[in-house]
Amino acid sequence: MIINTELEYKGNLFPGKVRSFSQDVDKIYFHTENGVILQITILRGSVIRFRYATDNNFEKDFSYAISKDGARGYSMLEVEEEIKSYKIITRRLTIQVDKADLKTTIFDKEGNVICKDDWGFHWEQSYEYGGNIVKMSKAAPQGECYYGLGDKPMHLNLKGKRLENWATDQYAYGKDQDPLYKSIPFYIGMHEERAYGIFFDNTFKTYFDFCHERRNVTSFWAQGGEMNYYFFYGPDMQEVVTRYTDLTGKPELPPLWALGYHQCKWSYYPESKVKEVAQKFRELQIPCDAIYLDIDYMDGFRCFTWNKEYFPDPKRMVSELAQDGFKTIAIIDPGIKIDDNYWVYKEAMENDYFCKRADGPYMRGKVWPGECFFPDFTNPDVREWWSGLFKELIDEIGVKGVWNDMNEPAVMEVPSKTFPNDVRHNYDGHNCSHRKAHNIYGTQMARATYEGVKKYAYPKRPFIITRSAYSGAQRFSCSWTGDNIATWEHLWIANIQAQRMSMSGMSFIGSDIGGFAEHPTGELYARWIQLGVFHPFCRTHSSGDHGNQEPWTFGEEVINVTRKYVELRYQLLPYLYTMFWEYAAYGVPMLKSLVLYDQYDLQTHYRTDEFIFGNQILVCPVQEPNSKGRRMYIPKGHWYNYWTREYVTGGLEKWVDADIDIIPMFVKEGAIIPKYPVQQYVGEKRIEQLQLEVYFKLGAKEVSKVYEDAHDGYDYAKGRYSLRTYTFTGKDNEVILQQHKDGTFVTEYSSIKLEFVGLPFTIKEVEIDNVVVDFNSLEIDLVQQTIVVPKDFTEIHIIG
Ligand code: GLC
């Protein structure tokens, strides 16, 4: 390469003048005089990929993150050459590429600059490793805000921060600590209410600087690989997230029980202890669907084995637990004990499945079992083998879910906490070092586990949990936020992390309720469970070192609070399941930070505590001890306080009473919230009736949905689901409720109980599908304002 000195600055190299331009269907190439190629791919009108080569040479195109099922296709693509630049025009955007220096500027259709290169693409040669350190810098206009990036435990708005993505086992991490377990190199930028997203699909260690080094510049770079990023335009922030999720993949629907309450500890053993804990839930009537076996169920921490002293007959235990509605979830870590008498080890050795150091020896590291070797999950043969290991656990013993931990990968007693950089990986045939494979290792393990559990659980649905994740992991697994601490600050962190993960495409997320390290007070546990039931993954877990963390260990008051909130979660299961369906079908994030919910309200840009659960329920946890309530921001619009039913006008901060048994919670006017009866576990009862809470709104139509299916299995994919779409219209003396039904699934219940909230009149007449119904033939309560109607009505008029 000829390096023109003008193209070098402080060790950085820059693209030279554009020398030629070509187009190949959806790809446009710009070649510079110094061997840089910019390839721009139009995936959709608002989803554009930018990829840069140096030395005229692209790497082989391969990504673990991109889903094959994502939507592709654009309706318009034109390229215009001007004197100083090229213009690529799609239906939503114009991309300008400057001939002098290859800098790009993206405009919307009104000509607003959405994202503009500062230095743009530049690079440094990596003398130590070969290849380049690839860099990108963008102009950061005043007032731009930044969100996303996975599990970062800090203020939602990342402006002013410099962050690193390198999956790390961070026991008892603190606020602002970075990096943590996940590497999700996707952020959302928002300026003047217009949001866009950038996904830097590079698995090397990546860095993001949001106006930290230079006030007007945002940049991102990686220690190797290519400058390869996707740009998503909104302007709606939610659209940015759904487009990113579409590209990196959406999950399948989980079995409904996975959305129930889970109880975990390190560790429940022996069998009698597991049974005792399970039994106590039933005795106290606190609903619970899943119980966990942490590492002590194994024989000397050997994966896929059992400690027969603690668990003499796992199959019997698992089936006895199942009779009582408990699904057993078992942990599986990546480290395989070096032991010639251990079948998993032997199989892996025979097939050469373990990771090796650069010069040939196996990668040896200490984890729970002592010295271990580690499967190379980036090798497709290894994944196939690994998936087969689940046969006994799932098919024979009946375990219902698998929890993958320590998959950053974590290694003990070494300063780096992980593999050395030189370890070799297959990377699906693109052999590389750990520098490139590190951040994807956990996701490939979760993927192999998912394939295995899916194969043996079939025709039921799999359930996987992973600690480490790269973009795209949401296709295979849910996740939790790792080893947090039982402190009030961590309650704040858990709330932020769940919201941030949700806007980073991984909505199926929760924290260790009560905190993993140390021991919560009863009050902290109560406040945490109140938040936890509004996280898609709802599990109490603790290290067990500092006392027990089952709800009953905190006394009567906390038992009652826990029961109240876990019952509420079970009542809200059809609402949560509908949220999940929207996420699985369209990539809609399940938790919406206020900024995601209403970016056009400036007040939301710096809020952290309040969030929207689904589309219509506003939640704000109490995060301080001895509180009788808190101030919170109510977003614009009108809401009902869920507990008092008081009607409030949003767009302002407000004090909300919240004694120890209350979490501030508001329902949007016009919403229709579906509920099931309380059950101790999913499937305990036949659902005899669906309850719909109808929150009155005067004026315009409001739409709500209820998605249902068999709650497990894959019949829904053949159309056997039930999607009810409700349109609510409220007038001074009338309510009109229209129902539209899709899908062929027949729900168990035959009637729906409508419960009106905030109805401004007393019901005088009810008309169902154009027929006035005699009150004597109706189950109607004029005081409570409830009516039971047949489930398949088309239109109901309630007249005052
Ligand atoms: C790790 C996990 C934790 C688990 C423990 C023992 O610390 O994060 O959840 O209980 O290992 O397996």
Side-chain angles (χ1 to χ4, degrees):
M1 179 172 53
I2 310 148
I3 300 171
N4 177 338
T5 45
E6 285 167 26
L7 302 175
E8 192 172 349
Y9 178 67
K10 291 188 181 170
N12 289 300
L13 303 167
F14 294 82
K17 287 196 188 73
V18 176
R19 209 183 48 198
S20 70
F21 143 84
S22 63
Q23 182 176 356
D24 179 10
V25 195
D26 59 348
K27 292 185 172 56
I28 297 131
Y29 295 87
F30 301 92
H31 292 255
T32 71
E33 60 185 13
N34 60 344
V36 175
I37 312 171
L38 163 60
Q39 178 201 64
I40 296 181
T41 311
I42 312 302
L43 286 92
R44 299 166 67 179
S46 51
V47 182
I48 319 289
R49 180 180 182 194
F50 294 82
R51 202 176 159 209
Y52 296 80
T54 57
D55 296 326
N56 289 308
N57 197 7
F58 280 108
E59 287 178 6
K60 201 164 171 222
D61 199 11
F62 175 77
S63 165
Y64 282 117
I66 307 300
S67 155
K68 285 185 215 66
D69 306 325
R72 305 280 193 275
Y74 51 85
S75 51
M76 173 191 170
L77 171 57
E78 279 166 22
V79 186
E80 285 171 7
E81 183 170 355
E82 296 183 350
I83 297 168
K84 292 190 166 166
S85 64
Y86 292 93
K87 290 227 160 68
I88 301 169
I89 302 160
T90 78
R91 200 173 58 82
R92 305 289 312 281
L93 299 167
T94 297
I95 302 135
Q96 176 183 309
V97 178
D98 294 346
K99 289 180 177 173
D101 49 18
L102 206 64
K103 285 185 191 176
T104 67
T105 309
I106 302 174
F107 301 89
D108 68 5
K109 284 286 119 171
E110 284 77 54
N112 299 301
V113 173
I114 304 302
C115 189
K116 181 178 168 45
D117 280 356
D118 173 59
W119 281 9
F121 173 60
H122 52 293
W123 73 101
E124 246 179 88
Q125 286 176 10
S126 173
Y127 294 108
E128 203 179 343
Y129 295 104
N132 296 327
I133 296 164
V134 289
K135 308 179 186 185
M136 171 58 64
S137 68
K138 305 272 182 196
Q142 215 188 344
E144 191 162 73
C145 298
Y146 306 95
Y147 306 92
L149 281 193
D151 61 353
K152 309 291 179 202
M154 55 196 68
H155 197 290
L156 275 179
N157 187 342
L158 297 171
K159 184 155 198 165
K161 309 269 189 207
R162 172 180 283 198
L163 300 154
E164 183 182 318
N165 289 314
W166 184 253
T168 308
D169 174 13
Q170 295 285 24
Y171 171 78
Y173 56 91
K175 179 169 182 268
D176 289 323
Q177 189 163 343
D178 182 53
L180 299 189
Y181 307 88
K182 299 178 176 73
S183 168
I184 317 264
F186 165 67
Y187 75 88
I188 303 160
M190 184 172 64
H191 179 235
E192 286 175 348
E193 297 169 0
R194 283 182 284 269
Y196 65 89
I198 285 185
F199 169 42
F200 182 21
D201 187 10
N202 181 314
T203 56
F204 282 83
K205 185 181 280 182
T206 53
Y207 295 88
F208 287 80
D209 185 305
F210 300 107
C211 314
H212 172 84
E213 185 173 315
R214 284 193 286 157
R215 196 160 50 85
N216 302 322
V217 178
T218 287
S219 52
F220 49 93
W221 64 100
Q223 289 189 336
E226 279 182 354
M227 177 45 62
N228 167 33
Y229 74 91
Y230 294 82
F231 176 88
F232 311 87
Y233 183 50
D236 203 65
M237 201 162 155
Q238 196 171 302
E239 293 286 325
V240 174
V241 179
T242 57
R243 288 187 178 124
Y244 162 77
T245 311
D246 182 67
L247 183 75
T248 55
K250 293 169 292 215
E252 295 181 11
L253 277 169
L256 185 64
W257 63 259
L259 299 180
Y261 173 73
H262 300 220
Q263 181 69 35
C264 186
K265 179 190 161 165
W266 178 14
S267 301
Y268 290 129
Y269 68 88
E271 173 178 340
S272 57
K273 182 71 198 176
V274 180
K275 292 260 188 63
E276 182 193 312
V277 172
Q279 189 51 40
K280 191 84 179 166
F281 274 97
R282 298 296 180 250
E283 204 179 296
L284 292 172
Q285 295 279 288
I286 300 172
C288 184
D289 259 279
I291 187 128
Y292 282 63
L293 300 177
D294 203 330
I295 49 175
D296 298 284
Y297 80 89
M298 302 178 209
D299 172 18
F301 308 121
R302 290 170 187 81
C303 293
F304 306 101
T305 68
W306 289 80
N307 178 322
K308 286 292 165 87
E309 195 187 312
Y310 298 151
F311 299 97
D313 187 356
K315 184 174 178 170
R316 179 188 40 73
M317 176 187 76
V318 168
S319 92
E320 283 166 9
L321 285 165
Q323 278 161 30
D324 204 10
F326 285 94
K327 290 82 190 165
T328 305
I329 317 256
I331 195 168
I332 290 286
D333 287 352
I336 299 299
K337 189 176 175 71
I338 302 176
D339 172 359
D340 289 333
N341 297 315
Y342 167 33
W343 65 284
V344 179
Y345 173 79
K346 282 198 289 193
E347 278 189 25
M349 285 302 276
E350 275 156 27
N351 293 293
D352 202 13
Y353 286 159
F354 289 127
C355 296
K356 289 189 187 131
R357 302 294 299 269
D359 298 324
Y362 286 108
M363 162 57 215
R364 184 186 285 264
K366 271 198 188 157
V367 237
W368 308 122
E371 300 246 310
C372 285
F373 290 161
F374 299 83
D376 182 9
F377 294 105
T378 70
N379 179 339
D381 296 338
V382 174
R383 289 198 299 271
E384 180 62 33
W385 163 73
W386 182 261
S387 73
L389 299 178
F390 290 93
K391 184 169 191 334
E392 189 192 7
L393 204 60
I394 307 297
D395 188 27
E396 289 160 33
I397 296 175
V399 164
K400 288 282 178 280
V402 175
W403 169 25
N404 282 167
D405 186 26
M406 307 291 277
N407 55 355
E408 290 68 32
V411 176
M412 293 167 176
E413 298 173 26
V414 291
S416 75
K417 298 183 177 189
T418 192
F419 294 2
N421 277 339
D422 69 274
V423 168
R424 306 292 300 160
H425 293 273
N426 176 285
Y427 215 93
D428 280 64
H430 310 81
N431 293 346
C432 68
S433 79
H434 195 62
R435 294 169 68 241
K436 181 171 175 177
H438 175 83
N439 281 333
I440 198 74
Y441 186 87
T443 301
Q444 293 315 301
M445 179 191 187
R447 173 183 177 184
T449 302
Y450 161 84
E451 301 289 353
V453 178
K454 184 166 175 166
K455 181 157 57 183
Y456 300 115
Y458 194 81
K460 302 281 194 209
R461 304 176 194 164
F463 176 63
I464 314 300
I465 310 149
T466 181
R467 191 170 71 177
S468 187
Y470 182 77
S471 297
Q474 69 271 9
R475 305 203 290 272
F476 317 114
S477 182
C478 88
S479 190
W480 89 108
T481 57
D483 296 343
N484 59 1
I485 314 176
T487 62
W488 289 93
E489 186 172 71
H490 264 272
L491 180 57
W492 180 89
I493 293 175
N495 181 12
I496 300 252
Q497 286 182 308
Q499 292 180 51
R500 190 192 300 290
M501 287 296 290
S502 214
M503 62 168 85
S504 306
M506 258 190 113
S507 277
F508 199 1
I509 184 78
S511 66
D512 283 352
I513 295 173
F516 179 73
E518 298 177 21
H519 195 241
T521 58
E523 185 190 7
L524 176 58
Y525 183 82
R527 291 305 192 188
W528 210 315
I529 192 84
Q530 289 170 352
L531 170 66
V533 299
F534 293 104
H535 286 165
F537 177 49
C538 177
R539 179 183 76 160
T540 294
H541 181 37
S542 68
S543 69
D545 288 349
H546 309 267
N548 293 326
Q549 208 153 298
E550 294 79 39
W552 50 87
T553 56
F554 303 102
E556 202 56 35
E557 191 176 34
V558 177
I559 295 179
N560 292 336
V561 170
T562 307
R563 186 187 300 109
K564 172 173 169 175
Y565 283 89
V566 177
E567 283 185 349
L568 176 61
R569 177 160 178 117
Y570 277 72
Q571 289 181 298
L572 287 173
L573 279 176
Y575 179 83
L576 178 54
Y577 198 55
T578 303
M579 267 158 73
F580 211 116
W581 163 76
E582 265 204 307
Y583 171 46
Y586 305 110
V588 176
M590 289 199 267
L591 305 179
K592 295 172 188 78
S593 304
L594 287 200
V595 63
L596 194 60
Y597 176 74
D598 186 3
Q599 75 202 53
Y600 306 101
D601 174 3
L602 278 177
Q603 292 296 322
T604 66
H605 295 193
Y606 291 88
R607 303 300 309 187
T608 51
D609 297 358
E610 308 84 354
F611 65 95
I612 310 286
F613 173 67
N615 299 317
Q616 296 159 321
I617 300 179
L618 166 68
V619 178
C620 184
V622 173
Q623 297 170 153
E624 277 171 45
N626 304 314
S627 302
K628 294 273 168 217
R630 62 164 293 158
R631 288 191 73 78
M632 65 177 279
Y633 184 70
I634 315 273
K636 288 186 177 162
H638 298 278
W639 303 79
Y640 289 88
N641 181 315
Y642 177 79
W643 305 107
T644 63
R645 308 208 144 173
E646 180 198 354
Y647 183 72
V648 301
T649 302
L652 45 85
E653 242 199 15
K654 194 175 154 47
W655 170 266
V656 180
D657 289 333
D659 239 321
I660 187 67
D661 64 334
I662 296 290
I663 184 171
M665 199 181 147
F666 293 82
V667 181
K668 200 174 163 187
E669 66 166 351
I672 295 181
I673 308 290
K675 280 185 173 174
Y676 283 163
V678 171
Q679 309 177 71
Q680 295 311 304
Y681 56 90
V682 165
E684 186 206 18
K685 292 184 183 153
R686 242 183 87 86
I687 309 294
E688 302 283 353
Q689 196 170 63
L690 178 71
Q691 185 189 344
L692 293 180
E693 286 178 1
V694 185
Y695 289 83
F696 182 82
K697 175 183 182 179
L698 196 59
K701 293 184 174 181
E702 269 303 311
V703 175
S704 304
K705 291 182 190 237
V706 184
Y707 173 87
E708 293 165 291
D709 59 21
H711 295 156
D712 206 336
Y714 291 93
D715 272 4
Y716 72 92
K718 298 176 207 143
R720 268 179 242 131
Y721 63 85
S722 152
L723 176 62
R724 300 171 185 275
T725 305
Y726 295 101
T727 311
F728 174 93
T729 314
K731 302 181 186 169
D732 283 328
N733 61 348
E734 187 178 5
V735 160
I736 306 164
L737 199 58
Q738 289 157 312
Q739 174 174 246
H740 174 78
K741 237 202 107 217
D742 273 323
T744 59
F745 180 74
V746 181
T747 52
E748 280 177 343
Y749 54 83
S750 51
S751 62
I752 291 176
K753 183 177 192 173
L754 303 172
E755 187 178 331
F756 292 95
V757 178
L759 206 61
F761 54 82
T762 10
I763 304 172
K764 300 225 176 62
E765 192 177 301
V766 175
E767 200 184 288
I768 303 178
D769 294 336
N770 296 321
V771 180
V772 177
V773 188
D774 179 1
F775 276 16
N776 294 322
S777 68
L778 258 187
E779 226 182 283
I780 182 165
D781 182 332
L782 294 174
V783 181
Q784 298 296 325
Q785 300 197 307
T786 63
I787 311 174
V788 176
V789 299
K791 69 172 173 181
D792 285 332
F793 67 87
T794 308
E795 189 166 311
I796 293 186
H797 290 247
I798 311 282
I799 299 152

